[in-house]
Amino acid sequence: QVQLVESGGGLVQAGGSLRLSCVASGRTFSSYAMGWFRQAPGKEREFVAAISWSGAGTLIADSVKGRFAISRDNAVNTVYLQMNSLKPEDTAVYYCAARNSAYPSTYAGNYDYWGQGTQVTVSS
């Protein structure tokens, strides 16, 4: 069992930056691939970024490529999402997810555990 707690969301002006954190419970964090997804009001949940268990492999959605970066620190059971040059269309609830596999995935159905989400609001 893995429990995930996100933090770092908030209100920011367009062009600003935020860093989201997701802390995982359990001693097997390093064996899980991790992902970030987001869901805006009235829209389906969409993939943002994912990272392999080692951190060597990453996947980034085209909509955020060049602006967002994912990283992890297995020593403190934490995965991060650095978000730069934020746009109003990035406004959403951001969810952290863990997959019981070494390899990241863009498909939400491949993830086994989910956090409660953190709200990110970007004003124009």
Side-chain angles (χ1 to χ4, degrees):
Q1 189 77 7
V2 176
Q3 292 185 329
L4 305 172
V5 179
E6 302 99 332
S7 64
L11 174 64
V12 64
Q13 290 188 331
S17 298
L18 284 174
R19 187 176 80 156
L20 305 183
S21 299
C22 173
V23 179
S25 65
R27 295 176 290 178
T28 59
F29 173 76
S30 60
S31 66
Y32 286 80
M34 301 295 295
W36 286 98
F37 291 77
R38 67 185 182 186
Q39 188 166 18
K43 295 188 176 181
E44 293 186 352
R45 190 169 297 191
E46 67 170 347
F47 169 75
V48 177
I51 190 166
S52 66
W53 70 274
S54 68
T58 61
L59 301 171
I60 302 289
D62 287 344
S63 59
V64 303
K65 195 168 291 184
R67 301 188 297 121
F68 291 12
I70 187 170
S71 61
R72 66 189 295 163
D73 185 343
N74 288 343
V76 292
N77 285 10
T78 302
V79 61
Y80 304 97
L81 184 68
Q82 178 66 44
M83 306 186 295
N84 300 325
S85 302
L86 283 160
K87 304 176 181 180
E89 52 263 43
D90 294 319
T91 295
V93 177
Y94 283 70
Y95 297 91
C96 172
R99 182 185 187 208
N100 193 4
S101 168
Y103 305 105
S105 172
T106 63
Y107 177 50
N110 282 342
Y111 288 81
D112 303 288
Y113 303 100
W114 292 82
Q116 293 298 308
T118 185
Q119 176 71 47
V120 172
T121 304
V122 185
S123 63
S124 57

